[in-house]
Amino acid sequence: MAARATTLAQGFSQKLMLEMYDKDLSGIITNTDYEGEINGVGSKLNILNFDRVSEKTYADSAMSADSLTENNAQLVIDQYKAFYWKEKTLANWLSYVKNPHPTIVSQVANERNKNKDTYLFGLYGDIGAGNRVGTDHADGTVSIAATTGVVTGSGTNFTAAMVGKGFQADGHTTWYRVKTYTSPTQITIEDDKDDVTSAYTGGVIVGSSTYTIEAATVVNITVSNLLQYVGQLKKKLDLAEGNGYNSVPDTDRFLIVPPEFEYNLVRASGVALHVPDVYSELVKKGFITELLGFKVFRSNRLSGDNTDGYHIIAGHPNWMTYAEKVLEARIEEDLIGDFGAAYKDLFVYGAKVTDPRRHFATELFATFA
């Protein structure tokens, strides 16, 4: 009896995962480079990388050596999910549905898929500063303290909603991000890094300097400007290496959009929706078309809405590393004091965007006409 229960539990687990993988987008927007390692060690894995070593021009004289700088990021499995349900013998006999199991398996698979997608799409805040598209904010002028990153403004109209957005002032050579909000005329900024202790290294910015806070509010997408904004997302990725970040490959780029985007897309001039035969299997995942090098997928699970704005994500799978594991799946064949069976499983997962990969994705903060 015990051996049979083990075999049935294994079959149940594989069926559940097969249903889920047939529909979810985790394999489109993430990589699983470290999944095997983290499954072997537990809930946390340290991922190391080194800062770039620059090639020098040799002038037939002694050179100064670069120091190797090691960075440590952690992929943490912190999402713990489970299903547990009973299928009772008498209830099955009385019901029109004599074998509810396949239907329930499909339902829980879709529910798990929804929760996974919602979690992954919710990491839009880990997109690199300077890689957001929306309506920028540039009211007034600012000065910035040398090491604290305190920004003192005049007529700036800062808001708490700007926390996490990219910030760049006249005199900066890279983008920083808003760390905290204090008042309409004071915020604090920091380096756009999560894997090291928070710091600001952008130096003093003197008073009356202009600045930009990216995508502070939404941009409204219409039939006439849709391609323009998709082009801006593409440009952000294309210019990553030129801006001092890692180069983003041209292949396997994705764009996840809400249904309202598709409605505008089909009415936009100069756009012909086409699904090549090679991508026919992707249709069940919400694949719409290819557009400016992006594979475009429709999803109802993006963060936001058409009132406050969708956080639309475009990028490359190298942006986010993801790992998951079914820790246990079991069938209780003998319900104590009752007749029937119970099914349960424990599923864990987590994701990480390391600092060197933050600019492998872009965000469009938008509503749709």
Side-chain angles (χ1 to χ4, degrees), residues 11-20 23 83 85 87 100-112 343:
F12 152 67
S13 174
Q14 290 175 349
K15 177 63 174 177
L16 179 64
M17 299 303 287
L18 178 61
E19 291 278 353
M20 181 180 64
K23 300 176 176 65
F83 283 115
W85 76 91
E87 296 177 15
H101 188 72
T103 301
I104 298 301
V105 168
S106 293
Q107 184 270 319
V108 298
N110 285 328
E111 179 67 16
R112 176 161 289 166
Y343 302 83

Side-chain angles (χ1 to χ4, degrees), residues 29-195:
I29 70 171
T30 72
N31 68 83
T32 55
D33 293 347
Y34 298 95
E35 184 167 76
E37 290 187 55
I38 198 164
N39 286 344
V41 301
S43 64
K44 186 180 295 185
L45 182 70
N46 292 304
I47 303 172
L48 302 178
N49 77 289
F50 293 97
D51 286 341
R52 290 184 181 182
V53 176
S54 300
E55 185 176 31
K56 307 175 188 301
T57 298
Y58 181 63
D60 196 19
S61 60
M63 298 182 295
S64 57
D66 292 329
S67 298
L68 297 181
T69 304
E70 183 180 278
N71 301 312
N72 180 26
Q74 288 187 331
L75 172 58
V76 179
I77 300 295
D78 56 3
Q79 303 296 304
Y80 314 133
K81 305 294 183 180
F83 283 115
Y84 183 41
W85 76 91
K86 296 179 181 180
E87 296 177 15
K88 300 178 70 173
T89 302
L90 183 59
N92 288 350
W93 183 73
L94 293 172
S95 173
Y96 285 107
V97 181
K98 301 304 181 185
N99 181 20
H101 188 72
T103 301
I104 298 301
V105 168
S106 293
Q107 184 270 319
V108 298
N110 285 328
E111 179 67 16
R112 176 161 289 166
N113 168 45
K114 181 188 73 174
N115 292 335
K116 272 181 54 177
D117 281 355
T118 301
Y119 164 74
L120 294 173
F121 297 155
L123 296 179
Y124 65 86
D126 288 341
I127 290 173
N131 263 30
R132 292 180 175 85
V133 176
T135 300
D136 295 339
H137 179 88
D139 292 357
T141 58
V142 299
S143 63
I144 305 175
T147 57
T148 63
V150 173
V151 179
T152 302
S154 173
T156 44
N157 300 313
F158 297 140
T159 69
M162 294 173 181
V163 173
K165 302 286 188 176
F167 179 102
Q168 188 175 57
D170 183 27
H172 281 153
T173 58
T174 191
W175 283 85
Y176 300 87
R177 71 179 176 214
V178 180
K179 179 181 180 181
T180 58
Y181 166 83
T182 303
S183 73
T185 56
Q186 184 174 311
I187 57 176
T188 301
I189 61 174
E190 63 181 348
D191 295 349
D192 186 36
K193 296 181 178 180
D194 289 330
D195 300 334

Side-chain angles (χ1 to χ4, degrees), residues 50 123 223 236 268 297 336:
F50 293 97
L123 296 179
V223 171
K236 296 283 188 184
F297 293 85
I336 302 300

Side-chain angles (χ1 to χ4, degrees), residues 294-309:
F294 293 110
K295 293 183 180 70
V296 184
F297 293 85
R298 178 191 62 254
S299 176
N300 285 292
R301 296 161 184 168
L302 288 166
S303 297
D305 54 43
N306 206 36
T307 299
D308 298 323

